[in-house]
Structures are given as C-alpha cells and as structure tokens.
Amino acid sequence: MLAMASAQSDTPFLENAMDVFARATANSEVLSLNLSGLIILLVLKVAVVAFSLMSGGATARSGVSTYSEADLTGGMCFILYTSGDESKLNCVARAACESTENAADFLTAAKLWYKVHNIIKAVPFNEKYNKVIDVVEAANNLGKSGGECSKFGW
C-alpha cells in the first residue's frame, strides 16, 4: 500500500498538465485536436456506463470521484498522444498498469466502440488506436498480475 502511494506521488501530473496547456495555447489546431481526444475519452466512458446498464451490472455510485492522480496523468498523456506525441504511449501504459480497474473500463469501452465500428461503418475508428488498445491491455494485465509498473516510464 505504501509503495502504491509513493508510486502515485511520482506521477508527473503537473508537468503533463502544463504541457497540455502550452500546446493548447500555442496553436488553435492543436487545441481542437486535444478537445477531440478529450471528447473520445468522454464518449468511451459513457459507452462503458451504457454497456454496464444494459448488461445488468450497474451499481449505485456516490458522487465522489474514484480517479487517482495516475488516472488523470494517463488521460492527459492520451490527449498528448492523440495530438502527435508518440512518446506519451508509455505514460498511458503506466497509468493503465497502476490503475487496473479504470483501465479495464476504458478497454471495455474501446473494444465496444471498435465492434460497433465494424458493424456500423458510419461510426469512426482510426486503426492506429488498435496499437493503443494492445499496449493498454498488456499494461493492464501486467498490473493485475502484480507486475512492476515502473517498466513503463511517465
């Protein structure tokens, strides 16, 4: 438990937030790309909730956020990855490894989105995100098995 707390305090949350902010203010085209990445994350979260409601697995939740600093850092790294910074994929993997429950939710949503894309071709899905799904799934499995998440850098 102490190791997990110290690992989460090492997350470069502020550094990534400043990087996202700097990119957003430097170029309006990057801002729209960052916003589209954020919208994708929100749509995936809604898809997870909708899927759990339809499958009967819904449970009541309090209004308290269950997102850790690692989750937020991973979300910002995903936004930076979608804006062209390929090096941030390792950061996304680290967040998935450290926060396996939330990463599993996002993986479920991403796979559901991909299946819907295959059925209804009008639903957009860029094939480059298959790499993200594979990397996040591997990191999530490593975290669930108790592996060392520090092999992925922030």
Side-chain angles (χ1 to χ4, degrees), residues 45-128:
K45 187 64 176 178
V46 168
V48 167
V49 171
F51 179 74
S52 66
L53 287 174
M54 287 188 289
S55 66
T59 59
R61 290 180 139 182
S62 67
V64 178
S65 175
T66 60
Y67 296 113
S68 67
E69 191 173 317
D71 292 325
L72 298 174
T73 303
M76 285 187 288
C77 288
F78 179 75
I79 290 171
L80 291 170
Y81 176 80
T82 59
S83 67
D85 189 354
E86 298 280 328
S87 67
K88 292 297 180 181
L89 188 57
N90 242 1
C91 175
V92 173
R94 173 81 178 256
C97 183
E98 289 191 7
S99 181
T100 57
E101 185 176 318
N102 288 330
D105 288 345
F106 287 123
L107 275 172
T108 301
K111 289 177 182 179
L112 179 64
W113 187 270
Y114 182 67
K115 286 179 183 179
V116 170
H117 164 75
N118 285 335
I119 295 169
I120 306 169
K121 295 299 181 187
V123 175
F125 185 85
N126 192 325
E127 295 299 322
K128 75 177 185 178

